[in-house]
Amino acid sequence: MPLPLAPPSSTDPPPNQHFNTGISPNDHASYMRLALSYAHESPPLPTNFRVGALLVDSASNKILTSGFTLELPGNTHAEQCCLSKYASEHDIPEERVGEVLPEGAVIYTTVEPCVKRLSGNRTCVERIVETRSKGGGIRKVYVGVKEPETFVGDNQGRKILENAGVEVVLVGGLEKEILRVATAGHVASS
Ligand code: HJL
Ligand code: ZN
């Protein structure tokens, strides 16, 4: 299957599940670029960032799900959408998604997972850590940029993830584009 550099248009089927993109297993920049293409699908708003994410099985080099900010109904984050969609596919609640994730499960996200939300909703760091409650779960998170301080100040989630055994890897090179897309709906400060 050719590499889908852009997410499918709205007339296409929903983003493929369990597809092999042709991206080499260690080509993290290409996975991040693909995650960024999903961020473009998110509506530009002043109240959050437009983030794209992928849940990937690093062992089989397959994409399990994709997600972007506000993809699912409600105030949903990109990483949350990935986990929630994968859980739905397995007919279990998102809280139990860790039980059905393959051993090599990793997340690519254009902006680092949130550790505080202005809405008070459960954070993506909590959701990721929860996948590890029975062993296994998400082992690695590849991050395109640190979260800008716009909404909640300095994001200290990395330590929480690492303490839970989740490696956090910064994938450089796309920062400018990721931030441009993430903040497209924000009012420009002069
Ligand atoms: C990440 C997302 C997303 C954010 N971060 N990693 N993925 N929207 O999909 C983080 C930002 C929160 C604000 C507002 N954004 O989203 O800190 O309304 O969006 O709960 O704190 O909180 P709500
Ligand atoms: Zn989040």
Side-chain angles (χ1 to χ4, degrees):
M1 180 187 284
L3 172 63
L5 281 174
S9 74
S10 51
T11 50
D12 287 327
N16 304 317
Q17 315 276 308
H18 308 287
F19 65 95
N20 196 321
T21 57
I23 297 175
S24 312
N26 288 315
D27 188 357
H28 305 303
S30 291
Y31 272 120
M32 193 56 73
R33 206 167 297 118
L34 188 56
L36 177 58
S37 72
Y38 285 99
H40 283 268
E41 297 283 290
S42 181
L45 292 172
T47 43
N48 62 21
F49 300 114
R50 294 162 84 207
V51 180
L54 298 171
L55 179 63
V56 173
D57 179 4
S58 61
S60 65
N61 196 32
K62 287 200 170 121
I63 293 182
L64 303 176
T65 48
S66 58
F68 56 85
T69 310
L70 303 181
E71 179 184 14
L72 291 179
N75 181 355
T76 51
H77 281 191
E79 307 92 310
Q80 173 186 357
C81 289
C82 283
L83 294 173
S84 183
K85 284 164 69 179
Y86 193 73
S88 306
E89 235 185 82
H90 290 81
D91 293 320
I92 53 161
E94 191 210 312
E95 296 74 45
R96 291 180 49 202
V97 69
E99 296 171 30
V100 292
L101 285 171
E103 260 202 40
V106 302
I107 286 182
Y108 290 82
T109 179
T110 57
V111 177
E112 73 180 319
C114 66
V115 73
K116 189 173 172 192
R117 296 179 61 162
L118 288 183
S119 63
N121 286 356
R122 235 151 58 86
T123 67
C124 293
V125 164
E126 281 174 79
R127 292 167 201 269
I128 291 166
V129 167
E130 186 176 63
T131 67
R132 300 186 55 75
S133 59
K134 297 207 172 141
I138 305 286
R139 287 163 197 276
K140 251 188 210 187
V141 179
Y142 295 93
V143 166
V145 293
K146 255 198 77 60
E147 178 177 348
E149 299 196 4
T150 319
F151 298 113
V152 293
D154 190 33
N155 182 326
Q156 295 282 334
R158 179 173 192 149
K159 281 191 212 106
I160 299 171
L161 287 171
E162 287 174 347
N163 288 342
V166 184
E167 200 182 328
V168 179
V169 181
L170 207 60
V171 179
L174 290 168
E175 292 88 344
K176 223 174 139 194
E177 180 65 3
I178 286 172
L179 288 172
R180 191 184 65 75
V181 173
T183 60
H186 297 189
V187 179
S189 59
S190 52

